[in-house]
Amino acid sequence: MTTTQGGAPTRRRSELSAFLRSRRARLTPGDVGLPTSGRRRTPGLRREEVAALAGVGLTWYTWLEQGRRISVTASILEAVSTTLRLDAAERGHLYRLAGHAPPDRHPECGVAAADRADVPTEIAELIAEWQPNPAYVLDRYWRLLAGNAALRQVFGEVRAGHSCLDGFLPADGAGRVSPEWPALAPALVAEFRVEAARYGDDPEFARIVARLSQGSVEFARLWERQEVRDTAVGEKTVEHPVAGRLSFTRTVVQIADHPDLRVVLLAPRRGTDTRERLAALSA
């Protein structure tokens, strides 16, 4: 847990204390397989019961629940989460209050999100309602899962599983579509490095990097630069064969309930005639 001085860490420790007490109070001994005989002065499990079930010392757990400045590991947080029967949202909240990044909610590495489940209905409806502007959904590896009609109007028929990173490969030739490719390419690689680190135990990222490095000298050179860029907002320019140059603001939205999915929303850039060009293209 952080030992930084100041108001924010103090509030976080106070919230951690209140959260743990509330989760402990909602459980009964029977919920966790303990004897239920006898009356209790206060509802819920006792601290010593939580400590014993989680495999930690009573003093240490007491200090954790009191919000003291102690060191806590992810493995201990996981044991406490399991003991207190926390769901995925509660587990993530506990990790954040304790100063840790929440664990991956989809630990089965190497399996694309598209293979685990279809795009949820609410996300499919979101990108459909984004008309007449392009919108699409990517999996954790930046591979296309779904797109709206405007996406096809602007980019043509984009196959499922296509990735913007495929633009580094000669067969894809993304540079012919995007006049901004020379400026865009370094940013793509820097952002993908951050994404790969986010799923550090997933071997599929290493396979993607190896394939792109073997197929593109440019990608290999940019990957070796070790640059990182973590942003959800950017720009995208497309040279359309009929509508001409289209300039968009790109916003990436990640849904808390589906952290493996990236919803990309493109909106016409202010100060350009992209909105009018899109309208003419749709007509």
Side-chain angles (χ1 to χ4, degrees), residues 2-3 44-45 70 134 166 183 217 231:
T2 180
T3 59
L45 298 178
I70 60 175
D166 291 342
V217 174
T231 179

Side-chain angles (χ1 to χ4, degrees), residues 4 25 45 57 85 124 127 187 255 268 278 281:
T4 306
L45 298 178
R85 304 297 194 268
I127 64 173
I255 311 299
L278 276 179
L281 188 63

Side-chain angles (χ1 to χ4, degrees), residues 138 142-145 158-167 172:
L138 305 177
W142 294 14
R143 297 190 294 225
L144 180 71
L145 297 181
V158 184
R159 68 184 184 278
H162 173 84
S163 168
C164 56
L165 293 169
D166 291 342
D172 187 81

Side-chain angles (χ1 to χ4, degrees), residues 245-248 267-269 272-279:
R245 177 165 291 206
L246 304 173
S247 299
F248 299 96
R269 284 181 59 190
T272 72
D273 59 356
T274 297
R275 189 180 303 278
E276 292 73 21
R277 289 175 181 267
L278 276 179

Side-chain angles (χ1 to χ4, degrees), residues 8-159:
T10 300
R11 286 194 301 273
R12 192 169 67 184
R13 289 195 300 270
S14 177
E15 291 178 11
L16 173 63
S17 176
F19 180 68
L20 285 173
R21 290 198 307 271
S22 71
R23 300 306 90 176
R24 177 167 60 84
R26 72 179 180 178
L27 293 175
T28 67
D31 292 333
V32 295
L34 296 177
T36 57
S37 60
R39 293 177 58 86
R40 297 191 172 216
R41 290 180 298 175
T42 57
L45 298 178
R46 299 188 178 99
R47 283 177 177 166
E48 55 266 32
E49 291 169 337
V50 174
L53 291 169
V56 299
L58 174 58
T59 300
W60 186 93
Y61 179 76
T62 300
W63 287 353
L64 175 68
E65 191 174 288
Q66 289 174 344
R68 296 199 188 187
R69 293 176 177 172
I70 60 175
S71 177
V72 56
T73 65
S75 61
I76 290 178
L77 290 176
E78 189 62 29
V80 171
S81 297
T82 300
T83 298
L84 295 178
R85 304 297 194 268
L86 302 187
D87 62 24
E90 292 169 331
R91 177 180 273 103
H93 186 60
L94 173 62
Y95 272 69
R96 293 185 187 95
L97 291 178
H100 283 260
D104 182 11
R105 289 170 59 180
H106 298 290
E108 57 274 30
C109 296
V111 181
D115 295 332
R116 287 197 296 269
D118 295 329
V119 174
T121 301
E122 60 271 21
I123 297 180
E125 292 175 348
L126 169 63
I127 64 173
E129 289 295 328
W130 196 248
Q131 288 285 132
N133 302 321
Y136 51 98
V137 184
L138 305 177
D139 66 11
R140 68 157 66 172
Y141 310 113
W142 294 14
R143 297 190 294 225
L144 180 71
L145 297 181
N148 62 5
L151 179 73
R152 295 188 292 274
Q153 287 180 325
V154 172
F155 295 95
E157 289 297 330
V158 184
R159 68 184 184 278

